[in-house]
Amino acid sequence: MEILSLYNSLNTYLFIAALLFSMGIYGLVTRRTLIGMLIASELILAAASINFMAFNRFTAPDPAVGQIFTLFIMAIAAAEAAIGLSIVVAIYRNYKTIDAEDLVELKG
Amino acid sequence: MSLPLPNADQLVGAVFLVLLATTIAGGFIACNAERLVRAVAGLIICFVGVAGLYYFLNSPFIAMMQILIYVGAVAVTISFAIMFAAPEQSKKHGPPNLLAGPLALISAALVFGGFILLVLKTDWQIHPKENSGSVEIIGQRLLTDYSMVFELISIVLLIAIIGALVIARRGRSS
């Protein structure tokens, strides 16, 4: 049963990370609202974390470093979500919309 | 005749496949759902699957942190923002612009294919492990070799909290 031993190969995790990353890119391009874009960017960050953890498990000599880096990415993602959402709330208060196509005040 | 019972390795592989499907399905919902609330629910499903993948990668501590931080904090924050700032569904149902249709799919597929080629064409070097990477070792490293990272995380989170409060509060009293 080849498919049942997938969990023990590096390529599986890298494929999953690539899939999540491209889903994030797709969502980032197609979403019209700012919150939707933020959700897509969370997918991209999760993909990066999976890559770090996979290399940490399979190739790195010191398995503590990748876990520390992933913790750092999580903290950055939490800070990014908090600041991005407060910006969204501020934009909504001023413009009554969170549609990215309506925010064209600086357009020449 | 009864079916032969699966051994432990096969059970582990089956659990991994379930987690894989959870992650992919969650990500698919998160980037395709029409309503933002459903997208957040998909994001939560995806993060639970990712936490399971971390467990398979020999780091239960990071898996726990993934559940705590992402599912517990980030997803709840996004849900709050949706309740605050997205009262109506997207009013515009006009023709999707060129970027939103095939071009987005093509660009995402190009990125995916590039990563797959990169993964398949590289010969990854496997190194022997120096330690077990347990929670104890992570704690020791965080307070000795990587104490800069530790302090930096706290400073960044503090600044983010204060900055978020300042930005969201401005213009409220008017």
Side-chain angles (χ1 to χ4, degrees):
Chain A
M1 291 295 272
E2 188 65 28
I3 194 171
L4 286 181
S5 61
L6 273 181
Y7 69 93
N8 218 2
S9 87
L10 173 61
N11 281 359
T12 314
Y13 296 97
L14 297 185
F15 285 170
I16 288 297
L19 192 60
L20 278 187
F21 193 93
S22 51
M23 277 179 185
I25 296 264
Y26 176 75
L28 204 59
V29 175
T30 52
R31 284 287 184 195
R32 290 186 169 190
T33 60
L34 296 173
I35 296 180
M37 292 178 183
L38 207 69
I39 292 172
S41 72
E42 294 292 336
L43 278 183
I44 292 180
L45 285 167
S49 300
I50 292 179
N51 256 348
F52 270 108
M53 294 300 285
F55 286 124
N56 180 50
R57 157 80 172 79
F58 289 101
T59 68
D62 185 354
V65 179
Q67 301 188 42
I68 292 173
F69 210 111
T70 307
L71 276 180
F72 195 72
I73 293 179
M74 282 181 189
I76 296 291
E80 175 243 350
I83 298 224
L85 292 172
S86 71
I87 290 176
V88 168
V89 170
I91 285 177
Y92 179 71
R93 196 176 290 139
N94 286 325
Y95 292 90
K96 298 295 171 218
T97 178
I98 54 166
D99 204 322
E101 293 172 12
D102 291 340
L103 307 173
V104 289
E105 194 162 292
L106 285 181
K107 201 173 180 180
Chain B
M1 275 303 287
S2 61
L3 287 170
L5 286 174
N7 61 21
D9 271 349
Q10 286 170 338
L11 280 180
V12 170
V15 171
F16 180 75
L17 288 185
V18 170
L19 287 174
L20 218 59
T22 309
T23 308
I24 294 174
F28 191 76
I29 296 172
C31 68
N32 276 311
E34 186 76 18
R35 292 164 184 258
L36 283 177
V37 177
R38 291 180 189 165
V40 173
L43 194 70
I44 292 174
I45 295 172
C46 176
F47 282 158
V48 171
V50 170
L53 294 188
Y54 288 165
Y55 200 86
F56 269 89
L57 288 169
N58 279 353
S59 31
F61 176 64
I62 304 292
M64 201 177 68
M65 283 298 123
Q66 169 89 7
I67 298 273
L68 267 180
I69 295 177
Y70 275 112
V71 182
V74 172
V76 172
T77 316
I78 295 178
S79 325
F80 264 117
I82 290 175
M83 286 187 251
F84 270 126
E88 78 277 355
Q89 295 307 314
S90 57
K91 305 158 292 214
K92 289 187 238 171
H93 279 293
N97 53 11
L98 192 58
L99 267 179
L103 272 183
L105 210 57
I106 289 172
S107 56
L110 278 180
V111 170
F112 183 63
F115 275 127
I116 295 298
L117 273 183
L118 182 70
V119 168
L120 288 181
K121 284 194 180 296
T122 312
D123 184 25
W124 304 108
Q125 304 286 325
I126 309 289
H127 294 288
K129 296 278 178 244
E130 289 173 359
N131 54 49
S132 63
S134 63
V135 181
E136 189 183 353
I137 292 173
I138 296 174
Q140 282 173 357
R141 289 296 168 81
L142 265 182
L143 291 180
T144 54
D145 293 349
Y146 298 96
S147 55
M148 181 72 189
V149 175
F150 191 72
E151 299 297 331
L152 207 58
I153 289 179
S154 17
I155 297 284
V156 164
L157 283 179
L158 179 68
I159 294 175
I161 292 170
I162 297 175
L165 286 178
V166 168
I167 293 173
R169 186 176 157 63
R170 182 177 301 150
R172 189 174 171 185
S173 53
S174 62

